[in-house]
Amino acid sequence: MRRSLATAFLIAASTISASAGERGEPQYFVKAWLQMPDRSFEQTSGWCDGEDDCFVPIGEHVIQLRDMSASSYTFSFWNDPSQQDACCVSHTGFPTLRLWSGRPRVVPLYYTPRVSGDPGQILFGNLVIAVEYLG
């Protein structure tokens, strides 16, 4: 499944247009594809300058990238970055991950229901993300 998601992402990413939305000169190109459990999806692309936190909207959510370098970056996924807690966590239970740049990465995202008696983590979706350093 991960291979088919990555393949679909690469095909879709080639058709997405990007727009600069950050201060400074773009140094990183971000492409992302969010596959939901019901097979619906959202896709996005954008530019980051690498100097500050970078927020890339995807559907009704936001990808936050920080500590960007040519080889890696820190990733988190939010409903709204002004909220105190991230929307989703990785399989490790942490809201942030350090990922390698370059090729697409598949990140399964989980959320924790706020209703008593629900299971600990429920699959939110799989995010396929690629961050390319342009320097």
Side-chain angles (χ1 to χ4, degrees), residues 28 67-73 98-102 105 131 133:
Y28 301 90
D67 304 325
M68 300 177 81
S69 72
S71 61
S72 65
Y73 56 94
R98 190 78 180 157
L99 298 175
W100 297 107
S101 300
R105 304 290 174 194
V131 175
Y133 178 63

Side-chain angles (χ1 to χ4, degrees), residues 29-131:
F29 183 57
V30 180
K31 299 175 279 195
W33 169 284
L34 178 61
Q35 179 78 47
M36 305 303 283
D38 68 358
R39 299 291 184 208
S40 63
F41 67 90
E42 297 285 344
Q43 61 188 14
T44 191
S45 62
W47 299 97
C48 296
D49 64 8
E51 295 175 14
D52 299 313
D53 289 359
C54 181
F55 298 95
V56 180
I58 183 164
E60 296 178 6
H61 297 85
V62 177
I63 299 167
Q64 179 184 13
L65 304 172
R66 55 190 164 92
D67 304 325
M68 300 177 81
S69 72
S71 61
S72 65
Y73 56 94
T74 301
F75 158 89
S76 56
F77 191 80
W78 299 83
N79 283 332
D80 181 351
S82 66
Q83 294 179 338
Q84 187 172 2
D85 297 322
C87 155
C88 302
V89 297
S90 67
H91 69 282
T92 63
F94 292 104
T96 59
L97 285 175
R98 190 78 180 157
L99 298 175
W100 297 107
S101 300
R103 62 189 190 116
R105 304 290 174 194
V106 178
V107 181
L109 298 170
Y110 299 88
Y111 69 95
T112 304
R114 300 195 189 277
V115 178
S116 177
D118 280 345
Q121 291 182 341
I122 298 174
L123 181 65
F124 177 81
N126 289 304
L127 183 77
V128 181
I129 185 167
V131 175

